[in-house]
Amino acid sequence: MTRTVRHAALFCLLLLAALLVNAARVQVVEAGPYERHPANRRADIDRHHRPRGDILVGGRPVTGSVDTGERLRHERTYTDGPLYAPVTGFASLAYGATLLEHAEDDVLAGRHPLLAALPLFGGPADGGGDVFTTIEPAAQRAAFEGLGDRKGAVVALEPATGRILAMVSTPSYDPAELSGNGPSAARAWRRLLGDADQPLLNRAVRQTYPPGSTFKVVTAAAALEAGVVRDLGQRVGVPGPYRLPGTGTELTDERAECGRATLRQAFEWSCNTVFARLGVRVGAQRMTRTAREFGFNDAGLRVPFGVAPSTFDPDVDRAQLALSSIGQYNTRATPLQMARVAAVVAGGGTARTPYLVERTTTDGGTTIGRAGPRGLRQVVRPVTARLLRELMTGVVTDGTGGQAAVAGAEVGGKTGTAQHGVGNAGTPYAWFVSWARGKGELEPRVAVAVVVEDAAADRGDITGGDVAAPVARAVMKAVLDS
């Protein structure tokens, strides 16, 4: 009898050992495949078990969570969804998350290490953490309403810090339409994906455009830094068309006066022949280096979500360099990048890395992360920045950017009309980049870039000064008045 009991006990121990080995195999060796299996809903259930933290603009939440009572309990809600969609992105039960909802998911979902490790400090017992943005509500609304029903984008920066004050992309969409996982969300998803105007695309940071004449700010900076031009009153215009080196193609100007223009006049009149020649005289190597200092060819920028790199092609012949120097050929830029260009001029030649998140907190208000100004770089000499400020101020007071003027403020700007499409057949993009300094302020407080893709005007009448400058003016005024 004792022997039988011992054998039974040994057999049970063997079974227990086998069970433990198999459990260890499942939990360690097979954990990855099980976790990634489409039928595994435990991660989703856990993610949506508690309310998601909020994204705040101007100290006010623009997101929320509602308890559905279902297995995936909490569904995302949005206030002024289309206005802030280029900032928040969406958080969907079915389609994942984008932009801040994705980049700050660990905080918002309550999985950030500090939230998980320090529940005594107001961690995720009942909800995720909160994300405070740098967005100024008045500037955001001014940009959104300024673009209206046109395709385009606006970015506004604070030059001294790099804070992103506005980020708008139109047409927009309501992220709340995608929050659930039912038939209505599926219909909205199909509709948005099939929309030729691409409302899900954040044109402010994920779309690059030929910057056209707004790039002449960079070309002017390169010419001044290289000593190719030393004075704003120096004559740089040459009469007649400019034949692109090594080709039979001639570049012309709309104004005959460009042939005798000084640098100041050429900038105010946006003379293509002048800046194409200047780019060739500066040379590809120095033009590329200057563009890189302004932020071009940077594939690693995050704000905190990824930004499409703006590009200046270093491998060009002299004819291609001439076109690149007036913002055509392969030169491409996001609106965020062109706002950075304006911010360098406004900031006395220095650049701050742009950022969108001011701080992150627990749901109880305890700060767990803070951004603040970072990445100060000297892009051009202060004397060069001062001369560029003079040039941009002249565009608004005496040139093509008069519609950007703000009463009682000093405003500098540069217009641009960028050709694109096969044989330049596409509707030109209307650009305006600018900065503004309020009365009594020591330094400019805001830098802005505006691009409009589908200006409602005859092709020959589309200019950055007429189409994009009024939008920039509204944004600058909103910031200065805030």
Side-chain angles (χ1 to χ4, degrees), residues 288-427:
T288 301
R289 183 167 62 245
T290 302
R292 185 171 59 247
E293 288 298 317
F294 272 93
F296 285 81
N297 298 337
D298 179 4
L301 179 63
R302 304 186 68 84
V303 293
F305 44 78
V307 176
S310 299
T311 55
F312 184 85
D313 193 343
D315 302 315
V316 290
D317 59 29
R318 296 174 75 225
Q320 293 164 343
L321 176 60
L323 293 176
S324 298
S325 300
I326 58 172
Q328 298 288 169
Y329 187 57
N330 284 344
T331 305
R332 307 279 297 188
T334 62
L336 173 62
Q337 172 56 39
M338 295 314 298
R340 295 176 74 188
V341 170
V344 168
V345 177
T350 60
R352 289 282 192 183
T353 303
Y355 66 99
L356 185 58
V357 174
E358 196 75 77
R359 69 184 189 277
T360 53
T361 71
T362 67
D363 61 350
T366 301
T367 298
I368 61 173
R370 187 180 294 276
R374 56 194 172 92
L376 181 65
R377 294 184 298 106
Q378 192 72 41
V379 176
V380 295
R381 294 171 298 160
V383 64
T384 298
R386 179 179 59 79
L387 294 174
L388 292 173
R389 274 199 198 183
E390 285 190 40
L391 290 176
M392 294 183 73
T393 302
V395 169
V396 176
T397 57
D398 303 310
T400 56
Q403 292 199 53
V406 177
E410 180 188 16
V411 177
K414 183 68 189 81
T415 57
T417 306
Q419 308 294 332
H420 68 101
V422 178
N424 293 334
T427 301

Side-chain angles (χ1 to χ4, degrees), residues 59-147:
R60 180 179 67 90
V62 297
T63 60
S65 294
V66 60
D67 192 341
T68 65
E70 300 177 357
R71 292 186 70 191
L72 301 179
R73 284 186 55 183
H74 291 95
E75 188 175 301
R76 201 58 154 160
T77 63
Y78 295 87
T79 302
D80 292 325
L83 175 62
Y84 294 112
V87 176
T88 64
F90 63 79
S92 171
L93 299 178
Y95 305 110
T98 60
L99 303 181
L100 277 187
E101 292 276 29
H102 173 72
E104 297 292 343
D105 184 64
D106 281 355
V107 172
L108 295 167
R111 297 197 310 273
H112 189 279
L114 288 180
L115 291 174
L118 301 174
L120 293 177
F121 293 171
D126 298 315
D130 294 332
V131 174
F132 289 74
T133 71
T134 59
I135 296 293
E136 292 284 347
Q140 184 80 0
R141 189 166 294 279
F144 187 73
E145 293 177 352
L147 286 174

Side-chain angles (χ1 to χ4, degrees), residues 216 219-221 223-224 229-237 260-269 274-275 278 387-388 391:
K216 291 171 184 173
T219 303
L224 290 165
V229 181
R230 300 182 183 276
D231 188 277
L232 301 189
Q234 179 178 333
R235 179 173 167 176
V236 289
R260 296 179 297 277
T262 64
L263 180 62
R264 186 189 304 275
Q265 292 169 329
F267 196 84
E268 291 174 1
W269 299 337
V274 169
F275 285 91
L278 286 178
L387 294 174
L388 292 173
L391 290 176

